[in-house]
Amino acid sequence: MGRCLGGSDTLFGLDARKRNFRFSISFHGSCICALLTAFVLFLLLICSIRLSSSAESRAVTKIFLRCAWFTMVVLAASIVTKSGKDCCLTFSFPSILIAVLVSRQFVEMSRIRIEGLLAAFPKLVGTGKQHTFVETENVRYVYQPIEALYLLLVTNKQSNILEDLDTLRLLSKLVPEYSPSLDEEGVCKMAFELIFAFDEAISLGNKENLTVAQVKQYCEMESHEERLHKLVMQNKINETKDIMKRKASEIDKSKVYFISILHDVHCNPQPRCYLHEPLYCTLFSQIEKNRGDKGGLMALSGPRRIESSFNDMSISNSGSGFGSGSGIGLSSDVESFSIKPKGRPSASATAPSKGLGMKLGKTQKTNQFLESLKAEGEVILEDVQPNVAQSKSSLPSTDPVTLTIEERLNVVIRRDGALNNFDIQGTLSLQILNQEDGFVQLQIENQDVPGLSFKTHPNINKELFNSKHIVGLKDPNRPFPAGQNDVGLMKWRIQGMDEASLPLTVNCWPSVSGGETYVNIEYEASESFDLQNVVISIPLPALREPPSIRQIDGEWKYDSRNSTLDWSILLIDHANRSGSMEFVVPPADSSVFFPIAVRFTAASTYSDVKVANVIPLRDNAPPKYTQRIQLIADTYQVV
Amino acid sequence: MEKSCSMLIHFDKGSPAMANEIKEALEGNDVEAKIDALKKAIMLLLNGESLPQLFITIVRYVLPSEDHTVQKLLLLYLEIIDKTDARGRVLPEMILICQNLRNNLQHPNEYIRGVTLRFLCRLSEPEILEPLIPSVLTNLEHRHPFIRRHAILAIAAIYRLPTGEQLLPDAPVLVEKVLSSEQDLSARRNAFLMLASCAQLPAVAYLLSQADHVANWGDLLQMAALDLIRKVCRSNSGEKGKYIKIIISLLSCPSEAVVYECACTLVSLSSAPTAIRAAANTYCQLLQSQSDNNVKLIVLERLNELKTSHKEIMVEMIMDVLRALSSPNLDIKRKTLDIALELITSRNIDEVVLTLKKEVVKTQSTELEKNGEYRQMLVQAIHSCAIKFPQVASTVVHLLMDFLGDSNVASAIDVVLFVREIIETNPKLRVSVITRLLDTFYQIRAARVCSCALWIIGEYCLSLSEVESGIVTIKQCLGDIPFYTATEEGETADASKKLQQVSSVTVSSKRPVVLADGTYATQSAASETAFSAPTVLPGSLASPGNLRALILSGDFFVGAVVASTLTKLVLRLEEVQPSKTEANRACTDALLIMTSMLQLGKSSFLPHPIDNDSYDRIVLCIRLLCNTGDDVRKIWLQSCRQSFAAMLAEKQFREIEEIKAKAQISYAQPDDLIDFYHLKSRKGMSQLELEDEVQDDLKRATGEFMKDGDDANKLNRILQLTGFSDPVYAEAYVTVHHYDIVLDVTVINRTKETLQNLCLELATMGDLKLVDRPQNYTLAPESSKQIRANIKVSSTETGVIFGNIVYETSNVHERTVVVLNDIHIDIMDYISPATCADVTFKNMWAEFEWENKVAVNTILQDEKEFLNHIIKSTNMKCLTPPSALDGECGFLAANLYAKSVFGEDALVNISLEKQADGKLSGYIRIRSKTQGIALSLGDKITLKQKGGSN
């Protein structure tokens, strides 16, 4: 079979070549034919080289990436003494060197290397300089004098100095927190604590955005869950003890009973079994249960597990050849997909006029920038965003035509009221129950909001939409798909909104006084929306009992599992545009109460997109339609 | 492969005897004691002890502990112990800890889980990790972000192991899933990094799908994204078009760190002018907005790099760069000026000079402590502008001349040198400059400035009116003649007491200096007196002029300059003055001044009389004025100027040569291979090379590059440590890296017995220290062993390593000792030739405390040959220009300079004279800040100077 196929293949190839040959001879002179074939050969050559090169380069990168993690890392964080002193790190004669008090390395390096780096440091630090970094051929030291010590970060030279300075600042705040006195003795005493703190502040050489309080919290390791777990364990133990006692007494009782029965046994054997059975059953089940509880802790179970996983490994080893093969196939697929837009880069560079009005979120300035870059020969691809699935399920509807207009808010507000993120995404989707109602067009109305941009489904007639704001299919003879599912017709985004247009702002003021934290929260809603089902959830520190609420506009609920306080207001309208709440919890860091998450819905949208009319395309009466308009807070956080 | 070291802790009371105490405490029930003992155990381990028996104790008594601190310390302990045997296999007992780690990974306390996950990142033994993988994976979905963060890190670390793909085949898929649903910024960053390094394609896909949102990602994630972009574009530069948009959107990000990184990325990705301009703009903005000096300096460094690669764009940015001058930090100002000076073109010169002038004026109005130094920098900057573009000289020279009387002598000297050069090179400015100089002459306080200004007056006063006003100015500044009369004695008695105090200070600071040509001369402390003298004298003596004050303070060198200036002026006056009587009158006046200076010098009024040099010079002037001749006249009126012009020409010539030499460094040789994009990977290595640039940075930093030793070089450095007939033969090869020396010692047992407890004991002298504690070995008959010892170097100094080998044999009970040869560490490994400016050299020469003077003793006959020999054998650089060494005159003086890897300076001055019998004599002086260099360099020179054989 295989041979047969191969044969036909070559036959076909020969045939094709012949045809090609004939064609070229008949059409052009032989000279041109030679040129052409040469050109084709050249193209083929390039293609083959490209292919092989891409495969090779992939292999090469793989090898290299293994040893590189991130190109900007902190190599080590150390504390060294400022002046020379007798160093006792080694066993040789004491010599005048700086003493390395504590040093934590975040990448693999040999001892001699790190000691060398640290020993070289004091020579490099000049006096009277007003900057606190030194660069050598290979590394950069960023340091900060703390009394008689230097706090020191060793980074590679590509590392981002701004980040490193941030990290250094954090560490310099941490050191006095842990070390009682900022001298050699104090630091040596708390060396391990400092190492723990360094570990938290710099996760394997990468910067973490943490505050001193957070690092302390991480190092203290106070866990609510552990306490709960212990409580549960304790309860279980107590319970079991109770049961044990009860059972013991029962057994005692039954012994008496048993004996009495034994006395009777000769007279009447039947009742013995009858009474006897349930008692043993319960005892057995109790024992079984206990074993089940403790099973995880039993030492025996460990090795057994390990053995089994060893077996697993050998299996996976044997199968690895297959696995890797399929992996390559997959990755190459993905690559070819991602390369696709790149295939003709010049096209996008030379066609800047493509749908300018439809571009999303691009200011004039960036456009200029891009144009200028293009003019200078840089290849820039603009639409690299793959299509995101757009359908959203909703309740089944009974109306023949249902239009759902939804806007989702993604808002992140900082504590100080500044906006981190304010992003509105809207969708218009259509649901048509019967096929015959599908021949329609929709007349859209919307408010002119700055920063609003629409994107229509590829099948939608763009020109019609741009000129008349009518949504209709490109091919008027096709109906909109019918069925129970929503069809996304159009998406829009609004960007560049400012704080003034936020529907709701939440202010949280924790203040500590007298061993308690008072938290005042207030909300303020803008005039433009009536908000429904507002729930403001405030994370709380782990508490045993619910917080005491002093004052509240609305209702509250304490979720002890997630330790959040949910403040709900059914409706915010002109009657209660602002409201407040106050509660008291045991003392806690103010950062605990963030991020505050808010959920709400509203019946009007920012863009005010509406379907004004459904225009039938065939000569029947316009179908009945309903419109659902909703504004939903998708992510609405105060961080 | 050397063991990696994850932490260092200072610890001094280490003794193996403590091991028992530790063991006891660990077995006890007291948690505090346990913690303490565990800490001690870790510190002992860090210091090279190996406590093998402790492991079982810890497994039995510490593993079950509930205390969090104990658990954390335990992880540190596990981190540093050896987990493999000599052949790299995992020790069987390590399986014991797996169960504990698994429990920790399922611990209800989220922090215990987190730190355990973090510990897993540092493990590299798949045998230990494998059973833990299911637990790690369950932690990915934990509610607490702290755990998720670390779980992702752990997965990444496991996946990146050599066998990682088998351990966790679906890691990228898992992480990708996590990334799409994760909220915690740090966890997302970790996930993204993991994808970026292990599975680039999903990471790229994610980045592109989120392209519009990247601007709203947190800074951590943005940094990771930029990193990925750079990585991808480096390996596949064709794709960079996709990312430029993302970078641009990030350029307007609120986080400065991200903005800075963006700019760096932009520069590395594209060389299109717009991109470079955007990056440069960003840098300039950071330069303005950041208050931290560190940031400013680094940003300036980046701008400097841009300057070398994209000069034409940076030229446009020059004014933005110059804005950094507003920083109060001198380093920043200096760097800014350095950058700006190279960007000056004829188009922007006016603007730049205007800014510089404004800055100069600002230094006058505001009083800051470093103003003087800053002004000096500005003056130098303007000076070099004026040399490059002579047309600006006219606009700045007058402004600068205001600073002739500056209290900062250095900047005043710069100004006067500048004026001297301008007046020679710009003949058009001569008249106005001379007039101005004569007007402001009385303000000049410093002796050195004075003498230079006098020289200018003497040389460039040409017309009748100029010559006359020159004479008048000098006379005015000298005040009434005579300087000293008997009647004044009583009046000035107390003044002279004061003087005595002043000059006693100045005399004591008299010291030899190296002149510009490298000769070694004694100079009366002219410049030093200038600081103090004028402040005391004008008031006390009611002296009208600066010159008088200087002369009365005992500075007869200025007196001699005054005398020769007057001589020149008078000689010229005789040429231009039609009336003979006027000329004669001027001549007699000058003679009167000179004689009164001599009289002052000979009197007892001043604490020390006139020095012979100045005396001779003044007398020569007097003789000359008394009987003039054409030859002499020609020498005095023309030759001086000619030689000055020649000097300037020479300087210019040298600069041009330098620029030419720089231009010679071509970026590509004509016969270089050209990389064709499509054919690139045929070369095989080019992809690697591209990757290398970045990888190298990290590798160099972690010291991985130290490994590539040249085998041939190794053989050159082999040292025999014991004799062939010794029972133990040892030889070593010494590898010297920057800060450390590695001794690879081969020890061979030459006997037929087993040597027990064989120990290589090393000790050091000098700034060397041993890193490891010596270990004991057992050596079978006629077998050999490689022992490696690391030694740390902390300063440039000839060090000696000495030691012995100690061993026991079964039949002899005492220990036998074999003493080893000494190993000398050569200073030459640490110093490298360097250059510094003349002025810096002089300053350092004056400053440094240690001098080593070596008398020349050589068989070489030729001065230059000897100099070259010294340069070659000390590995230093000759600072004296070759032109100054030209010609045969029987003597030679030269300055040499080198810098050590520790940043120490080594200065050497050679002064030679050829004796009548053809031998060379003289001295080599070595100066340095530390004793070590001076001593060891001296030894080296003494050893090598003989010459001939090598």
Side-chain angles (χ1 to χ4, degrees), chain B residues 170-387:
Chain B
D170 54 347
V173 182
L174 279 174
V175 174
E176 200 185 341
K177 219 190 286 165
V178 169
L179 184 59
S180 58
S181 60
E182 181 61 60
Q183 289 300 315
D184 181 68
L185 182 58
S186 182
R188 277 175 76 187
R189 191 264 314 262
N190 291 348
F192 191 78
L193 274 184
M194 141 80 195
L195 280 188
S197 70
C198 300
Q200 248 182 37
L201 290 172
V204 169
Y206 179 75
L207 178 66
L208 291 181
S209 73
Q210 297 272 316
D212 285 342
H213 304 283
V214 172
N216 304 328
W217 285 3
D219 51 348
L220 295 180
L221 201 51
Q222 287 169 346
M223 296 290 269
L226 286 171
D227 196 43
L228 173 74
I229 291 176
R230 260 193 314 228
K231 241 183 236 170
V232 172
C233 295
R234 214 172 289 123
S235 57
N236 203 348
S237 54
E239 291 187 10
K240 65 186 173 193
K242 291 185 198 168
Y243 306 104
I244 289 207
K245 215 175 90 186
I246 297 176
I247 299 174
I248 291 165
S249 69
L250 286 181
L251 267 179
S252 53
C253 183
S255 156
E256 264 111 2
V258 175
V259 172
Y260 170 79
E261 206 57 46
C262 268
C264 294
T265 313
L266 213 49
V267 172
S268 70
L269 288 196
S270 171
S271 55
T274 313
I276 300 295
R277 201 169 294 131
N281 256 326
T282 313
Y283 286 141
C284 286
Q285 272 161 21
L286 283 174
L287 206 55
Q288 294 305 307
S289 61
Q290 288 290 312
S291 57
D292 195 311
N293 289 340
N294 299 318
V295 178
K296 285 195 177 192
L297 279 171
I298 289 199
V299 168
L300 280 173
E301 185 60 38
R302 292 290 96 75
L303 284 172
N304 201 12
E305 283 166 14
L306 275 190
K307 185 198 72 194
T308 44
S309 53
H310 303 279
K311 193 156 179 181
E312 60 293 350
I313 290 160
M314 286 304 292
V315 166
E316 302 164 17
M317 309 290 300
I318 186 166
M319 294 317 289
D320 293 315
V321 175
L322 275 177
R323 241 172 262 148
L325 285 178
S326 58
S327 156
N329 185 313
L330 271 186
D331 290 333
I332 293 174
K333 288 180 171 172
R334 182 169 300 129
K335 206 153 189 180
T336 313
L337 283 178
D338 284 350
I339 293 176
L341 280 184
E342 289 192 43
L343 294 176
I344 292 174
T345 60
S346 53
R347 224 179 305 157
N348 57 26
I349 178 74
D350 291 331
E351 244 181 317
V352 172
V353 169
L354 204 67
T355 319
L356 294 180
K357 266 162 78 176
K358 262 187 213 154
E359 285 292 316
V360 172
V361 174
K362 235 187 265 170
T363 61
Q364 265 175 313
S365 53
T366 53
E367 274 312 310
L368 286 167
E369 48 181 336
K370 293 267 173 69
N371 251 349
E373 232 176 293
Y374 179 41
R375 200 178 304 147
Q376 191 186 346
M377 267 156 49
L378 286 171
V379 169
Q380 277 165 356
I382 294 176
H383 188 158
S384 54
C385 287
I387 288 169

Side-chain angles (χ1 to χ4, degrees), chain A residues 112-132:
Chain A
I112 192 160
R113 176 73 188 164
I114 179 69
E115 284 194 343
L117 287 175
L118 292 177
F121 167 68
K123 308 252 168 194
L124 299 167
V125 180
T127 47
K129 280 190 199 149
Q130 285 177 40
H131 55 90
T132 53

Side-chain angles (χ1 to χ4, degrees), chain B residues 337 341 344 349 352-353 356-357 360 374-401 403 410-426 452 456 644 647-648 651-652 655 839:
Chain B
L337 283 178
L341 280 184
I344 292 174
I349 178 74
V352 172
V353 169
L356 294 180
K357 266 162 78 176
V360 172
Y374 179 41
R375 200 178 304 147
Q376 191 186 346
M377 267 156 49
L378 286 171
V379 169
Q380 277 165 356
I382 294 176
H383 188 158
S384 54
C385 287
I387 288 169
K388 263 195 212 161
F389 301 95
Q391 75 269 24
V392 296
S394 57
T395 60
V396 290
V397 73
H398 293 294
L399 176 81
L400 289 184
M401 280 170 74
F403 295 101
S411 79
I413 288 175
D414 278 334
V415 172
V416 82
L417 291 180
F418 173 61
V419 171
R420 191 176 70 178
E421 202 170 328
I422 291 300
I423 205 170
E424 170 64 33
T425 51
N426 277 25
C452 192
I456 297 174
F644 178 61
M647 188 188 104
L648 283 186
K651 193 174 141 196
Q652 214 160 12
E655 269 162 18
V839 187

Side-chain angles (χ1 to χ4, degrees), chain B residues 104-124:
Chain B
N104 272 353
L105 289 178
Q106 290 159 357
H107 203 278
N109 187 324
E110 60 264 29
Y111 302 108
I112 291 275
R113 285 199 197 194
V115 290
T116 312
L117 286 166
R118 189 158 55 212
F119 163 72
L120 295 187
C121 300
R122 292 193 186 245
L123 278 185
S124 55

Side-chain angles (χ1 to χ4, degrees), chain A residues 49-50 53 56 60-62 64-66 68-73 75 88-93 97 100-105 107 109-113 115-116 120 123 130-133 138-140 156-158 160-163 165 184 188 192-193 195-196 199-200 204 206-209 217-219 221-223 225-226 229 302 305 313 317 331 338 366 369-370 372-373 376 378-382 385-386 421 493, chain B residues 3-12 39 46-47 68 72-73 79 99 107-112 118 122 130 143 146 149 156 159-160 166 186 189 193 197-198 200-201 209 212 216 219-220 223 227 231 240-242 244-245 248 256-257 260-261 270 272-274 278 290 292-295 297-298 329 331 678 681 688 691 694-695 697-698 700-703 706 739-740 764 769-770 773 790 792 794-795 902:
Chain A
I49 289 165
R50 272 290 293 158
S53 83
E56 235 171 273
V60 169
T61 28
K62 188 88 192 172
F64 259 85
L65 293 173
R66 180 123 297 147
W69 176 223
F70 194 26
T71 48
M72 305 170 264
V73 285
L75 305 178
C88 306
L89 257 176
T90 64
F91 305 93
S92 69
F93 297 156
L97 281 177
V100 180
L101 300 180
V102 180
S103 172
R104 179 69 165 157
Q105 285 79 257
V107 294
M109 57 163 87
S110 65
R111 176 170 189 136
I112 192 160
R113 176 73 188 164
E115 284 194 343
K123 308 252 168 194
Q130 285 177 40
H131 55 90
T132 53
F133 77 94
N138 301 328
V139 294
R140 181 192 296 148
N156 62 341
K157 289 221 303 203
Q158 287 216 330
N160 189 312
I161 179 81
L162 290 142
E163 277 202 338
L165 286 172
E184 217 188 310
C188 283
F192 286 95
E193 284 70 14
I195 283 187
F196 293 148
D199 264 351
E200 299 297 346
L204 297 175
N206 299 328
K207 188 197 171 207
E208 291 278 359
N209 283 346
Q217 188 197 344
Y218 290 167
C219 287
M221 309 183 92
E222 276 311 315
S223 159
E225 297 195 11
E226 190 183 23
H229 176 80
R305 274 299 262 278
M313 186 179 76
N317 267 341
S331 67
S338 71
T366 27
F369 193 100
L370 289 174
S372 142
L373 270 180
E376 280 155 7
E378 283 294 335
V379 179
I380 295 175
L381 303 174
E382 309 223 331
Q385 188 172 10
N421 179 13
R493 289 186 66 186
Chain B
K3 227 180 90 182
S4 81
C5 159
S6 63
M7 60 185 160
L8 294 176
I9 294 175
H10 181 66
F11 183 55
D12 39 8
K39 282 184 181 173
L46 281 180
N47 282 299
H68 299 155
K72 266 167 105 173
L73 286 170
E79 193 178 300
Q99 180 60 25
H107 203 278
N109 187 324
E110 60 264 29
Y111 302 108
I112 291 275
R118 189 158 55 212
R122 292 193 186 245
E130 174 143 33
R143 189 179 60 76
F146 185 79
R149 256 178 240 171
Y159 189 70
R160 283 152 43 82
Q166 284 139 39
S186 182
R189 191 264 314 262
L193 274 184
S197 70
C198 300
Q200 248 182 37
L201 290 172
S209 73
D212 285 342
N216 304 328
D219 51 348
L220 295 180
M223 296 290 269
D227 196 43
K231 241 183 236 170
K240 65 186 173 193
K242 291 185 198 168
I244 289 207
K245 215 175 90 186
I248 291 165
E256 264 111 2
Y260 170 79
E261 206 57 46
S270 171
T274 313
Q290 288 290 312
D292 195 311
N293 289 340
N294 299 318
V295 178
L297 279 171
I298 289 199
N329 185 313
D331 290 333
H678 291 101
S681 56
L688 287 173
E691 294 268 327
V694 184
Q695 297 296 334
D697 188 49
L698 193 62
R700 265 200 305 274
T702 51
M706 300 292 189
Y739 305 115
D740 36 51
T764 57
K769 74 194 184 82
L770 280 167
R773 191 182 170 79
N790 285 323
K792 197 140 280 319
S794 53
S795 77
F902 307 101

Side-chain angles (χ1 to χ4, degrees), chain B residues 125-152:
Chain B
E125 289 77 16
E127 290 85 346
I128 304 177
L129 287 171
E130 174 143 33
L132 303 173
I133 286 173
S135 318
V136 174
L137 291 182
T138 53
N139 277 325
L140 264 188
E141 276 127 39
H142 196 273
R143 189 179 60 76
H144 208 286
F146 185 79
I147 298 180
R148 292 200 303 269
R149 256 178 240 171
H150 290 101
I152 295 166

Side-chain angles (χ1 to χ4, degrees), chain A residues 388-401:
Chain A
V388 184
Q390 38 190 330
S391 61
K392 285 247 159 61
S393 65
S394 67
L395 288 171
S397 146
T398 49
D399 284 306
V401 176

